[in-house]
Every structure is written in structure tokens, then in C-alpha cells.
Amino acid sequence: MAGEWRCCTIGDLCDEGVAELQTGPFGSQLHAHDYVENGIAVVPTEAICNRQIDHSVLPRIEPRKAAELARHRLRPGDILFARRGVQATGHIGCIRSGEDGFICGTGAIRLRVIESAGQVRPDFLSHVLANPASVAWFKFHAIGATMPNLNEGIIRSFPLALPPLSDQGAIAVILGTLDDKIELNRRMSETLEAMARALFKSWFVDFDPVRAKAAGRDPDMPESLADHFPDCFEDSDLGEIPACWGVKTIADLAEVSGGSTPSTGQPMYWEGGTHHWATPKDLSGLAVPVLLETERRITDAGLAQVGSGLQPRGTVLLSSRAPIGYLAIAEISVAINQGFIAMIPKSGVSSIFLLLWARHVHEEIISRANGSTFLEISKSNFRPIPVAAPPCEVMNEFEVRARPWYDRIVANERESRTLAALRDTLLPKLISGELRIRDAERFAREGA
């Protein structure tokens, strides 16, 4: 490590006026009636991970209440620690432009760097704190075995090695370049996924082309495509559906199966495993509904213990319990545990259609679940779920339009995984001084 690097703790920075720590408001300061549909965003624990703030889970409070909590208002550059929970504890999120004015939640601790002090850059520090080794440090030092908790004292004791400010900036730029590309991919995939959902809803939920033709309006699509849609409806067990579509069960459209877990006490099933084996946990952290990797693998002997064997690429996976509803299309051959329902599309059926259908009928799936300890949807209760089934021509047209969007999502996710691996390789070497900045710049350029 270069001699001019400084060893200190976060507490040292706070004592020197270089940084400030502040725990989010007490739970008693926020009540159920304070939350509204449209208001000022509050950042809870579950929104904090991978230097990001997940906007999809942000509750909102009345502006009047936000004014009362003004001391907890966030600024760009603020770093938030998730301070409680088995999975979340120790992870951080960074407040970016457009997120200023959000309120720190009760399950978070804010770290604010005083940049004018000229000792620490918040973007550099956020990369240090997001390092998996740092997250592991916070988890190890958290208080409580059942529900780990961080506090300001623990965060203050975190050790740092700070290079000169110019080097901090260069390191932040290198790692930020990779993060920016990953974020760009995420946003692009989010947009493409929204386009696929919108098309599914238009054709298979709202039946827009049929309604337009029934009303004598232009369905706003090529005539060759419009010809595949009828111009009237008929009654069915699902209510009004396009004429001649009919009602089928999901078992008519897909082979439905489950999985199992080889004995974890038998090393021969696990050690040196080469076959992907998935649990719902593998789907829980996915940014997009694409499964490219699993935490564990099993051997040939282990695979022989799973009655359903390997599910082929293109299988739609639905977590069937604790919780019900994680969804992804497997882009790898994968064996699954008992926490899944797997849907292998039958001939002429789009896997993207099945994925979006399962998301659309989530409440219907939940209504068919049972269980005293936790809800679970069984295969026997899942298979009869009815579907307004389009003719093969409409299904094919949907696949033709949605497949390029989905393939781009898969490509984005593969690239992002590669970039994240490069970032995670460079990060500890850079923040320890083991890797020279100019070498890291070259690796980052080649990777991005």
C-alpha cells in the first residue's frame, strides 16, 4: 500500500467533522395514517442494496409529515446503510440526483460525507462500503442472531484505508464507469420488459384489437395481423373473451412439474456438482426475470434424486411457496427444488406468454394456495387454472414481437453479470492499493 494512504475509521472521520452519521427516525415518528399514495418518498431497509435505491418499494408520506422530519431529508451523495434484517443488514445505497428530498427510513442509517473538508469523496467511500468484504464485515459485527442489527457505534468502528483525494476520484471513475453501464442495461431491460407487459395486456387482458374492430375502429396494426383477431366477443367461464378463442387450462399450454432436494447429508450429491440446481432464493434477487446462474449445483447422483430431472432452457419457473410469485425464464438447464412449479411450454406456446400470464394472474394463484404454516400452491391446484387461450396465429405473432425484446434483456443481463464480476475483481485490489490505477483503467475500458 502506498505510504501516503491513511488508515482510519468512519468514527475518526465523524470526530474530525469530515462525515456525519444519523439513524433514521424512530418508528413512533411515522404512523400508518402518515402514508399516502402520492407524496415524499421514504427509503426503507428493503429498498437498499448494491449502491442502489429500489424505487419500486418506496412508501410515501404527506409533505406536511416530511417537513416535520426535515432533519432526515436526504441529499445526493448520502450513503444509506440497511441496518436490520438477515439479508439486508450491511448493504448500502447511494442517493443520486433526482433522489434528493427523500426521507431516510426508520430501518436505515445515513452517512453523509462533508466534501468541502477535502479528505474523502462519497463516491469512493460508497464503493469501499459496497465491497462484499465490507458487507460481510458489517454482517459479522451486527448485533442479534435472529434479527441482525447495525447501529452507529458499529459503523463508526469500520476501518478504512484512504488514498489521496485524486486517487479516490480516479478509482471512483473506474468503478463508476462499470456501474453506469450496468445501470444503463438495467434501465433498458426495464423498458423492454414494460413493453412486453404492455403488449400482453393489450392483446390478452384488455383485448384492444378485438374491441377496436367490434367498434368499427382501426386496430392500429398491419392488416395481416389484424386479420388474426375477431371482431366480436363471446361469453365464457372467464367472462367475455374474443370469439373462437376458448378457455383452456394452464396444463393444456404447459407441462407442469415440481422438484425436490437431494439429501444435503450426502456429499456425493453435491461435491463437485455440475448441474444447476435452483431454489426460490435464486430468483429472489433477480433484477429481470431471467435465470442465468444458481447458487448451488448437484452431481449426476444428485440429479438422479430429483424426479423431474433437468428442466430445459425456456422453462418458466414460479416459486410456489414462501413466498409465492417469484418468476423467471430459465436460460440454463436446471433442476429445481420443491419450492417451484415449472412450466415447460407445449408446442406453439410462448414462454414469454406463460411468464406474463403467471404475473397477471398472481392473485388467482394465491387464492388457490393453502397451508397452515405458509401458503403453498400445489401442482394439482395449479394445473386447472383457466386461461383465455388465443389461436396459434395470435400466439405466434406475440412471440415474434416479444422475443427480440426478451433476447435483448437476456443479453443485457449476461453483459451486466460480466461487468459486475470485473468490478468485484477490481474493487478490492484498487481500494487496497494492490492494483495500479492505469492498469485498472485499461481493464475497465476493455470490459465496458
Side-chain angles (χ1 to χ4, degrees):
M1 184 182 298
E4 65 268 24
W5 285 46
R6 178 196 175 195
C7 293
C8 62
T9 66
I10 288 179
D12 292 334
L13 299 179
C14 292
D15 293 341
E16 296 165 8
V18 176
E20 299 173 350
L21 272 175
Q22 182 185 67
T23 301
F26 295 114
S28 59
Q29 293 179 269
L30 283 170
H31 304 281
H33 63 262
D34 293 320
Y35 293 96
V36 294
E37 185 173 348
N38 296 304
I40 307 300
V42 177
V43 183
T45 294
E46 57 269 26
I48 301 170
C49 194
N50 297 328
R51 297 183 70 248
Q52 304 289 330
I53 302 299
D54 182 356
H55 287 216
S56 68
V57 296
L58 297 182
R60 295 179 179 273
I61 58 175
E62 296 178 346
R64 175 187 54 78
K65 187 63 180 180
E68 295 177 12
L69 299 174
R71 64 188 296 264
H72 297 287
R73 196 177 294 274
L74 300 169
R75 305 175 190 167
D78 284 351
I79 299 168
L80 291 187
F81 288 86
R83 69 177 181 90
R84 62 190 180 201
V86 175
Q87 297 297 325
T89 297
H91 286 280
I92 65 130
C94 304
I95 300 300
R96 293 172 166 79
S97 176
E99 296 172 338
D100 50 315
F102 288 6
I103 301 295
C104 180
T106 57
I109 297 176
R110 185 202 74 200
L111 173 62
R112 176 171 293 165
V113 172
I114 311 302
E115 288 193 75
S116 59
Q119 294 189 39
V120 185
R121 289 180 57 117
D123 49 1
F124 168 80
L125 185 56
S126 70
H127 282 292
V128 173
L129 296 173
N131 182 9
S134 300
V135 176
W137 188 96
F138 285 113
K139 287 184 180 295
F140 178 80
H141 288 86
I143 300 169
T146 305
M147 180 61 71
N149 273 268
L150 289 181
N151 56 40
E152 291 186 26
I154 294 171
I155 295 174
R156 285 178 61 90
S157 66
F158 181 78
L160 292 168
L162 298 176
L165 205 62
S166 60
D167 288 355
Q168 291 182 35
I171 291 170
V173 168
I174 292 167
L175 299 174
T177 297
L178 298 174
D179 274 346
D180 288 346
K181 177 56 178 170
I182 293 170
E183 175 63 10
L184 179 62
N185 284 347
R186 186 195 67 79
R187 292 183 181 181
M188 183 189 302
S189 295
E190 190 177 73
T191 299
L192 293 169
E193 189 181 354
M195 291 165 62
R197 289 199 306 268
L199 183 63
F200 178 89
K201 184 173 185 294
S202 176
W203 285 15
F204 306 121
V205 178
D206 298 333
F207 309 123
D208 289 335
V210 182
R211 296 193 186 282
K213 293 179 71 174
R217 293 184 281 104
D218 183 355
D220 193 26
M221 57 177 55
E223 184 177 349
S224 58
L225 174 58
D227 288 343
H228 295 312
F229 290 90
D231 59 4
C232 60
F233 291 87
E234 62 186 22
D235 290 331
S236 75
D237 292 340
L238 290 174
E240 195 177 60
I241 64 172
C244 303
W245 278 33
V247 174
K248 295 183 179 180
T249 67
I250 190 59
D252 294 324
L253 302 183
E255 296 289 342
V256 176
S257 63
S260 58
T261 301
S263 172
T264 55
Q266 294 291 331
M268 64 182 294
Y269 297 155
W270 301 95
E271 292 182 1
T274 57
H275 303 291
H276 292 283
W277 180 78
T279 73
K281 181 182 176 183
D282 290 303
L283 271 60
S284 64
L286 295 180
V288 293
V290 175
L291 182 66
L292 295 172
E293 186 57 83
T294 57
E295 182 178 335
R296 304 190 70 180
R297 299 192 184 200
I298 55 176
T299 62
D300 290 342
L303 181 61
Q305 302 300 306
V306 181
S308 55
L310 282 176
Q311 306 294 331
R313 179 173 174 267
T315 300
V316 179
L317 301 178
L318 166 72
S319 64
S320 57
R321 64 183 187 185
I324 297 171
Y326 290 147
L327 279 163
I329 297 177
E331 284 298 314
I332 50 176
S333 297
V334 62
I336 57 176
N337 83 342
Q338 60 276 13
F340 281 113
I341 282 177
M343 292 174 276
I344 303 175
K346 292 188 176 180
S347 178
V349 177
S350 166
S351 59
I352 305 171
F353 175 93
L354 294 178
L355 175 81
L356 297 174
W357 168 84
R359 177 171 289 159
H360 173 67
V361 300
H362 177 74
E363 293 303 323
E364 170 74 9
I365 294 171
I366 294 291
S367 72
R368 292 170 179 257
N370 49 49
S372 54
T373 305
F374 50 77
L375 285 178
E376 179 173 9
I377 176 74
S378 66
K379 295 185 291 295
S380 59
N381 286 343
F382 183 81
R383 289 189 178 103
I385 297 179
V387 184
C392 61
E393 295 87 359
V394 174
M395 181 75 77
N396 290 341
E397 292 287 355
F398 175 77
E399 170 73 9
V400 165
R401 284 157 177 76
R403 179 59 56 180
W405 301 335
Y406 175 77
D407 287 346
R408 182 66 255 179
I409 291 173
V410 173
N412 287 345
E413 185 63 10
R414 290 188 190 279
E415 181 181 56
S416 292
R417 289 177 67 87
T418 300
L419 294 172
L422 174 60
R423 178 199 61 203
D424 293 345
T425 299
L426 293 178
L427 196 156
K429 297 180 182 297
L430 281 167
I431 64 178
S432 67
E434 178 184 345
L435 182 65
R436 292 181 300 179
I437 289 174
R438 62 174 177 270
D439 292 332
E441 288 173 337
R442 175 171 54 83
F443 293 144
R445 283 195 303 270
E446 293 171 356

